[in-house]
Amino acid sequence: MGMFRRRSPVRPEPDLPLSTFQARRLYHLVADAFREAGVVVEVFGDHTVDERGRAYGLRDLAAACATESPAAWPEVVRRHVHAEVSPAPTLADLDDATLGTACVARLLPAALLPPEWDPDAEHVTNDLVSVVAIDLGDQALMPPADALRERAPLLPWRELAADNLRDLAHRLPLHHEQVSPQEAPDEGFDVVVGESGLVASLALQLDALLDRLGLADRGRGVLVGAPYRHQLAIRVVDGPGAASALGHLADYVRSTYAVAPGPVTPLVHWVHQGLWRPASLTRAQEAPLARAEDQPSGHLVDPDRLHPEVAEALGI
């Protein structure tokens, strides 16, 4: 058996987070949902194409279904397809009240956005930014910052977006489980997944999320991984086990980032009082900071390769 309990079976080709049987069921549900919407599509593995040649990706939908029970799949697919075929609203279509309740802070890789998209975007880390998005449930808008200001110059966009995300941290549908090595349960971490593409963004309101999960920063920070939009992996720094857990968490986040749709970051970060510090490296850099199979008993982390604040918090 593997070291961790796995949420998903072996992936088929193309790389969807589903078994071959589950992927075939998804294809049938997708075709039926498009047919109900009056659109005929042909399925090509990880996407569909309609009669006009328009392509609709399936990786995000597959990731959403992977977090739901089989009984919920038909409704998840119907909502997704409805959003795909419905015309997306524009900022001009939405009144101020809707904009005020729908704007939300979103965590994104900085490389996804051109510099002029939001020159004042909050850089959470060197490679991650927080921007204002419009979340309409089944649809989302990512307007440039100047478009938001032009549409409603008096709205305090960033403050409202932060408040709305904090509210979502308390009520967004999530699945929560603990993942740990079978032989070392103290070296595990918590994983939250959900259908919403804002799950990873909840790291921007970490205290609220921890409170919902029955956890809390104990004064030494939290290790946070956001491999893709629908998932967060978290370990509160609460003792010696946290240092050993870092290696397992880094491997988990890196491997998930490599295959999941909507990737955010392959790095684990130490987060404390709004400050983010990297606590792992990518494969393109040096070897990982902590890999369980390369470490002696205790899974020590080389403090010379950690930021001093992170090393101090981990007690190494």
Side-chain angles (χ1 to χ4, degrees):
M1 294 181 64
M3 184 169 60
F4 297 110
R5 301 191 305 272
R6 297 292 183 183
R7 284 192 46 77
S8 302
V10 176
R11 291 177 173 84
E13 292 295 332
D15 191 17
L16 298 179
L18 304 171
S19 69
T20 300
F21 173 80
Q22 290 173 320
R24 288 174 179 170
R25 181 177 184 231
L26 177 68
Y27 299 152
H28 287 297
L29 290 173
V30 166
D32 289 344
F34 272 107
R35 192 176 303 113
E36 290 175 7
V39 180
V40 177
V41 297
E42 187 173 358
V43 178
F44 294 95
D46 63 351
H47 68 284
T48 64
V49 178
D50 67 14
E51 294 175 304
R52 297 183 179 181
R54 292 175 296 190
Y56 304 91
L58 295 179
R59 298 187 72 200
D60 278 358
L61 177 57
C65 287
T67 69
E68 300 288 344
S69 68
W73 283 28
E75 181 58 27
V76 171
V77 172
R78 277 194 291 269
R79 289 201 309 267
H80 181 90
V81 169
H82 174 76
E84 288 285 336
V85 300
S86 300
T90 66
L91 289 178
D93 298 326
L94 305 173
D95 58 34
D96 286 2
T98 299
L99 289 172
T101 57
C103 68
V104 63
R106 186 166 183 178
L107 185 68
L108 290 175
L112 284 184
L113 301 178
E116 66 273 13
W117 189 271
D118 187 352
D120 299 321
E122 176 189 355
H123 278 260
V124 181
T125 68
N126 289 338
D127 62 336
L128 294 174
V129 294
S130 170
V131 299
V132 177
I134 307 298
D135 178 49
L136 301 173
D138 291 340
Q139 294 177 314
L141 305 180
M142 284 289 299
D146 58 355
L148 291 172
R149 287 191 292 267
E150 181 179 346
R151 169 60 185 79
L154 299 181
L155 277 183
W157 288 106
R158 296 190 188 280
E159 292 83 354
L160 287 173
D163 289 344
N164 290 340
L165 184 65
R166 188 170 189 84
D167 179 61
L168 286 176
H170 291 288
R171 62 180 180 83
L172 198 67
L174 298 172
H175 176 81
H176 172 214
E177 72 171 340
Q178 294 180 323
V179 178
S180 62
Q182 296 174 351
E183 73 284 0
D186 188 47
E187 298 175 11
F189 48 89
D190 292 81
V191 175
V192 291
V193 294
E195 182 182 346
S196 171
L198 291 171
V199 174
S201 300
L202 297 180
L204 297 171
Q205 292 292 341
L206 190 58
D207 287 346
L209 178 62
L210 291 175
D211 181 66
R212 174 177 174 177
L213 300 178
L215 304 171
D217 184 341
R218 301 187 183 183
R220 296 166 62 185
V222 182
L223 298 172
V224 176
Y228 73 113
R229 290 187 302 235
H230 298 273
Q231 186 184 74
L232 278 175
I234 299 168
R235 170 63 193 239
V236 173
V237 180
D238 55 358
S244 300
L246 174 57
H248 304 310
L249 181 57
D251 282 346
Y252 182 92
V253 169
R254 189 187 300 109
S255 61
T256 303
Y257 171 88
V259 299
V264 179
T265 176
L267 300 178
V268 174
H269 290 86
W270 174 77
V271 182
H272 182 53
Q273 296 181 343
L275 178 69
W276 291 52
R277 299 288 193 196
S280 69
L281 302 174
T282 65
R283 290 196 183 279
Q285 298 170 301
E286 298 181 38
L289 290 173
R291 290 181 60 86
E293 64 268 31
D294 296 334
Q295 300 293 338
S297 59
H299 310 310
L300 298 177
V301 179
D302 182 358
D304 293 334
R305 297 165 64 195
L306 285 173
H307 189 281
E309 288 181 273
V310 183
E312 180 181 2
L314 291 171
I316 55 176

